[in-house]
Amino acid sequence: MRIAVTYESGKVFQHFGHTERFKIYDIEEGKIMGEQVVDTNGSGHGALAGFLADLKVDSLICGGIGGGAQMALAQAGIRLYGGVSGEADEAVKAFLADRLDYDPDIRCDHHGHGHDHSCGNHGQDGQCGHHQPGSHCGHNCH
């Protein structure tokens, strides 16, 4: 099994689409057998699911994540454990002990999180201000 964690300064990074690196854990017989930090090389949002699939990742532990990225991960066959915070190593240990505190209904709606995103302004109807209907920005805008 291979687990990826959105990673920054030893902690679970809180915005999947903006993560600059993942910490990858190789698991055998319930134990961490290897770990490495990989740079995303500027990939973002939807491209990150393919990046993780290319690394043969089975499961992702992260903080916030939008609906489009969730769908891309599901299509890639990667199990999602979102809404996690704290130390990355501890999150993986908790996962392996079947005691990871995660949110199965995680949604990053970009309101009130204190971070910027490239989706533009949401209008009064809640729609994304810079995308045509049917386009995909990786956010839960449409």
Side-chain angles (χ1 to χ4, degrees):
M1 171 187 264
R2 184 169 259 197
I3 301 170
V5 180
T6 52
Y7 190 75
E8 183 178 69
S9 301
K11 298 195 179 297
V12 178
F13 185 67
Q14 291 301 300
H15 192 303
F16 172 78
H18 291 274
T19 193
E20 294 181 4
R21 60 195 55 85
F22 290 99
K23 190 164 185 181
I24 308 294
Y25 299 82
D26 290 307
I27 310 299
E28 289 180 25
E29 298 179 14
K31 294 187 170 89
I32 299 171
M33 302 305 286
E35 51 189 73
Q36 62 180 317
V37 176
V38 296
D39 194 309
T40 63
N41 298 315
S43 298
H45 290 101
L48 289 173
F51 179 83
L52 292 173
D54 289 346
L55 290 172
K56 310 279 190 257
V57 167
D58 302 294
S59 300
L60 170 70
I61 296 172
C62 67
I65 184 168
Q70 289 181 34
M71 286 188 292
L73 288 167
Q75 289 171 349
I78 298 171
R79 289 180 298 280
L80 172 64
Y81 300 89
V84 178
S85 60
E87 297 290 326
D89 291 351
E90 293 304 313
V92 172
K93 289 174 186 172
F95 174 83
L96 294 174
D98 201 25
R99 57 178 176 78
L100 179 65
D101 183 20
Y102 70 98
D103 181 355
D105 299 316
I106 186 72
R107 290 281 184 272
C108 184
D109 62 7
H110 302 285
H111 297 282
H113 289 287
H115 60 258
D116 190 21
H117 64 93
S118 60
C119 201
N121 297 321
H122 293 269
Q124 291 178 344
D125 61 359
Q127 294 297 306
C128 191
H130 291 296
H131 298 286
Q132 297 299 318
S135 70
H136 179 71
C137 67
H139 296 287
N140 197 13
C141 296
H142 305 288

